[in-house]
């Protein structure tokens, strides 16, 4: 890619002339602008970023264009690879049923921990107490997308499904539903794009709410209750 007639010194000088630090800032801005209409970093997004880089650097000459294109594309990719993404879901069981963990599915990311069972409410000293369980996920090391996962809780023939998403770009989302698999709820979470969802069936209700649409550490609280 580099003109062999140019020395390393000349290339370094050109890099300093165009402003490596400035392009570093521009790199992130260009990539984020390109990502506004996309949920994931794809070949199309990278291609668009390269086109932006060449448009910005069109007056810098051949070496300047090459340098700008490299910086505008490589820096954001490294940034997103290193950027963290975690989801923590707390499920509170306010019902009179016991639930056990069913299955989990990660469209993106990986499951890091889960509670194997959540027992029903109980009485003590005239007060009613509820049990709860945690379910957590994170992005895979070096991945260009965050975490998008779903899991199920089972009791008898009933299946309760909860999903949570924390992408590296775009909004945090959550979803809950009856009679869905872990894979189905994971994909529905991205499709519905809700920060709060509630549903009921046969005297039982489910809801889930996220703390914020943005941020790499996404907290969600879900609830199972008698209606």
């Amino acid at each position: 890619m580099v003109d062999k007639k140019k020395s390393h010194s000349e290339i370094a000088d050109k890099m300093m002339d165009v402003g490596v630090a400035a392009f570093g800032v521009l790199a992130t801005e260009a990539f984020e602008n390109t990502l506004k209409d996309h949920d994931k970093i794809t070949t199309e997004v990278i291609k668009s970023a390269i086109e932006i880089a060449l448009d910005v650097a069109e007056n810098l000459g051949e070496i300047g264009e090459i340098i700008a294109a490299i910086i505008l594309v490589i820096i954001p990719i490294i940034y997103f690879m290193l950027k963290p993404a975690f989801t923590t879901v707390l499920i509170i069981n306010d019902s009179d049923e016991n639930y056990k963990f069913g299955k989990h599915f990660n469209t993106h990311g990986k499951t890091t921990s889960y509670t194997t069972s959540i027992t029903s409410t109980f009485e003590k000293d005239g007060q009613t107490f509820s049990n709860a369980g945690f379910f957590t996920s994170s992005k895979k090391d070096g991945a260009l997308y965050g975490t998008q996962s779903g899991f199920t809780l089972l009791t008898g023939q009933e299946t309760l499904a909860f999903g949570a998403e924390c992408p590296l770009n775009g909004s945090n989302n959550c979803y809950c539903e009856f009679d869905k698999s872990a894979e189905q709820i994971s994909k529905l979470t991205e499709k519905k794009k809700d920060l709060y969802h509630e549903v009921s069936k046969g005297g039982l209700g489910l809801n889930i709410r996220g703390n914020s649409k943005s941020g790499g550490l996404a907290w969600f609280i879900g609830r199972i209750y008698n209606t």
Side-chain angles (χ1 to χ4, degrees):
M1 291 177 63
V2 177
D3 185 350
K4 292 182 179 180
K5 295 180 181 178
K6 300 288 185 180
S7 69
H8 291 104
S9 176
E10 289 176 296
I11 294 173
D13 288 341
K14 175 60 73 174
M15 290 180 71
M16 295 306 295
D17 288 342
V18 301
V20 173
F23 273 111
V25 174
L26 185 59
T28 302
E29 291 179 354
F31 231 71
E32 288 180 346
N33 289 334
T34 306
L35 280 165
K36 282 182 179 178
D37 297 323
H38 299 78
D39 290 327
K40 304 176 182 68
I41 296 178
T42 62
T43 302
E44 178 184 354
V45 172
I46 294 175
K47 182 179 178 181
S48 296
I50 292 174
E51 291 174 353
I52 291 173
L54 295 178
D55 287 342
V56 171
E58 62 182 353
N59 296 319
L60 298 177
E62 182 181 353
I63 293 178
E65 288 186 2
I66 292 171
I67 294 168
I70 290 173
I71 294 175
L72 279 167
V73 176
I74 297 302
I75 288 180
I77 288 177
I78 294 173
Y79 167 76
F80 280 104
M81 286 177 66
L82 298 177
K83 186 178 179 181
F86 302 93
T87 64
T88 298
V89 182
L90 173 68
I91 301 295
I92 301 171
N93 184 9
D94 281 335
S95 76
D96 52 11
E97 294 284 347
N98 298 322
Y99 294 92
K100 65 178 182 179
F101 183 81
K103 294 183 178 180
H104 61 88
F105 180 86
N106 297 287
T107 305
H108 299 284
K110 58 186 178 181
T111 299
T112 52
S113 68
Y114 59 86
T115 300
T116 57
S117 64
I118 310 175
T119 54
S120 63
T121 57
F122 63 96
E123 300 285 335
K124 184 177 181 181
D125 299 329
Q127 298 184 64
T128 301
F129 294 88
S130 301
N131 290 294
F134 279 103
F135 303 84
T136 65
S137 66
S138 71
K139 62 169 284 191
K140 293 181 178 178
D141 295 340
L144 293 177
Y145 195 87
T147 174
Q148 177 188 339
S149 59
F151 61 89
T152 57
L153 296 172
L154 311 174
T155 180
Q157 299 300 313
E158 194 71 77
T159 299
L160 316 182
F162 294 87
E165 179 185 23
C166 180
L168 295 179
N169 179 73
S171 61
N172 299 332
N173 304 294
C174 57
Y175 199 65
C176 61
E177 189 58 84
F178 289 94
D179 304 320
K180 298 295 183 183
S181 68
E183 180 176 358
Q184 288 173 327
I185 201 68
S186 174
K187 293 179 179 178
L188 279 170
T189 298
E190 180 186 32
K191 181 179 179 180
K192 299 294 184 179
K193 295 190 180 302
D194 286 335
L195 197 60
Y196 176 78
H197 188 72
E198 187 165 14
V199 64
S200 62
K201 173 188 174 185
L204 194 65
L206 309 176
N207 63 38
I208 186 170
R209 184 188 300 274
N211 69 317
S212 175
K213 272 288 187 180
S214 62
L217 178 58
W219 284 84
F220 303 91
I221 296 178
R223 182 172 171 248
I224 306 167
Y225 58 96
N226 299 319
T227 58

